[in-house]
Amino acid sequence: MDFERSLVPTELYHMKSDKNIGIRSDGIITTMLVLLSRAILSLIFMYSAFSKVIDWNGTRSALHNQVFPGWMAETLLFTLPVVELVTAILLLGRRSFKNGFVASTLLMVCFTVYVGWVMSGAFGRIPCTCGGLISELGWSEHLLLNLVLVVVSFLGLMLSNKISV
């Protein structure tokens, strides 16, 4: 097989033959954006899961300080790290990353809706923030970060449907 530089602006190279089976530059950009989204989201979900486990008592206290009932806090204490870790693993998998994007988008939308709901004053009080690095953020910054991650996740999901990896 012999390749040559393509004259078509959206193709980088094509084979020297009658068939046009080139590598399109927009495909490379799309693939790179999907890979970057996968990396960012998987790192964030791994960090979040491990920080909850490492600071188990702090996580328990933070969850019990939220506006939902105690039984829900205990349920989330055990399920959130697992769900976040599974989401990170799905995002890293060659065949599972699209499911990872779906899970990531759903999780980030849920987290964002909760932060927005807290900020709206619907509960009569604003509980303390999350643990880890995010504890340094106020609720407004937390909402902004979540919105950015929703966009990254949704964009990754939409773009991943345009590529085959």
Side-chain angles (χ1 to χ4, degrees), residues 14-161:
H14 71 268
M15 283 182 66
K16 288 183 182 179
S17 72
D18 296 335
K19 298 178 185 175
N20 185 3
I21 56 170
I23 302 170
R24 296 175 55 93
S25 62
D26 58 342
I28 291 173
I29 293 168
T30 301
T31 301
M32 293 306 292
L33 287 172
V34 168
L35 289 172
L36 183 62
S37 299
R38 289 170 62 189
I40 289 168
L41 293 166
S42 61
L43 285 172
I44 285 173
F45 282 117
M46 280 191 279
Y47 167 78
S48 182
F50 287 124
S51 70
K52 285 177 178 69
V53 171
I54 290 169
D55 186 17
W56 190 259
N57 291 329
T59 302
R60 173 176 269 142
S61 295
L63 286 171
H64 279 280
N65 189 42
Q66 300 303 314
V67 295
F68 33 78
W71 65 267
M72 188 181 284
E74 284 298 309
T75 302
L76 290 172
L77 179 65
F78 289 94
T79 57
L80 270 179
V82 173
V83 169
E84 289 170 339
L85 193 56
V86 167
T87 300
I89 291 168
L90 286 172
L91 284 163
L92 293 173
R94 186 172 181 191
R95 293 186 179 148
S96 62
F97 71 91
K98 290 180 183 180
N99 291 330
F101 276 129
V102 170
S104 173
T105 302
L106 290 173
L107 280 173
M108 290 314 305
V109 166
C110 288
F111 295 156
T112 304
V113 166
Y114 176 71
V115 171
W117 205 6
V118 165
M119 288 180 62
S120 74
F123 301 112
R125 72 180 182 93
I126 295 182
C128 66
T129 58
C130 300
L133 289 176
I134 294 179
S135 66
E136 302 298 321
L137 301 178
W139 283 98
S140 298
E141 294 89 3
H142 196 152
L143 181 64
L144 182 61
L145 173 64
N146 282 8
L147 287 170
V148 167
L149 293 174
V150 166
V151 169
V152 168
S153 191
F154 187 73
L155 183 66
L157 178 61
M158 292 297 101
L159 291 176
S160 70
N161 290 324

